């Protein structure tokens, strides 16, 4: 495992950020969020890759690839798959590095079907409700843990 190599995974509909329900998800685009992550990662000396997919199987394939390419941590916003996907949970269970689950909105303040997360059964940490700052906080937490 290469220390300080992180994969950021964005799930379905997150490609629409900026125009999708901005009252809930904010006005930043996914590109804005990824750019902020790339910038912070460069400052901290992390090798970062950001990917988005609307397809469950593709997200699973990306987790599988991360098992083999030395990725030390995954920051994942599984979006709606959070609440439905045993398959993504199983893939993450087969990944040996750290996993941080991020949600832009505070899912616990929303509909009850959003209160349950399969991914939380695997996640080492969960951040919800901090908007795009949640991703940056996740990277900071990984960096602090790596340097502890
Ligand atoms: C989300 C919350 C999910 O319930 C929802 O399906 C999403 C985004 C969030 O970032 O707040 O698509 O994961």
């Amino acid at each position: 495992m290469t220390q300080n190599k992180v994969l950021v995974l964005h799930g379905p509909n997150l490609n629409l950020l900026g125009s999708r329900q901005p009252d809930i998800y904010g006005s930043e685009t996914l590109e804005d969020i990824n750019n902020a992550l790339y910038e912070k990662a460069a400052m901290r000396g992390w090798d970062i890759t950001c990917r988005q997919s609307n397809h469950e199987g593709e997200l699973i394939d990306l987790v599988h690839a991360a098992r083999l390419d030395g990725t030390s941590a995954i920051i994942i916003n599984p979006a709606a798959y959070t609440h439905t996907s045993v398959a993504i949970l199983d893939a993450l269970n087969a990944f040996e590095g750290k996993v941080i689950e991020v949600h832009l909105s505070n899912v616990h303040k929303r509909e009850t079907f959003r209160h349950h997360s399969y991914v939380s059964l695997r996640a080492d940490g969960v951040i919800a409700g901090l908007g795009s700052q949640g991703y940056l906080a996740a990277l900071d937490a990984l960096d602090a843990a790596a340097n502890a």
Side-chain angles (χ1 to χ4, degrees), residues 56 60 80-90 118-119:
E56 188 173 23
I60 290 164
Y81 289 139
T82 307
H83 319 298
T84 62
S85 183
V86 176
I88 290 176
L89 169 65
D90 284 352
Y118 284 101
V119 169

Side-chain angles (χ1 to χ4, degrees), residues 12 14 20 25 77-80 82-83 102-105 107 110 114:
L14 295 176
R20 172 196 184 200
Y25 297 117
N77 182 346
T82 307
H83 319 298
V102 172
H103 299 284
L104 294 153
S105 64
V107 282
R110 301 182 61 195
R114 295 185 204 275

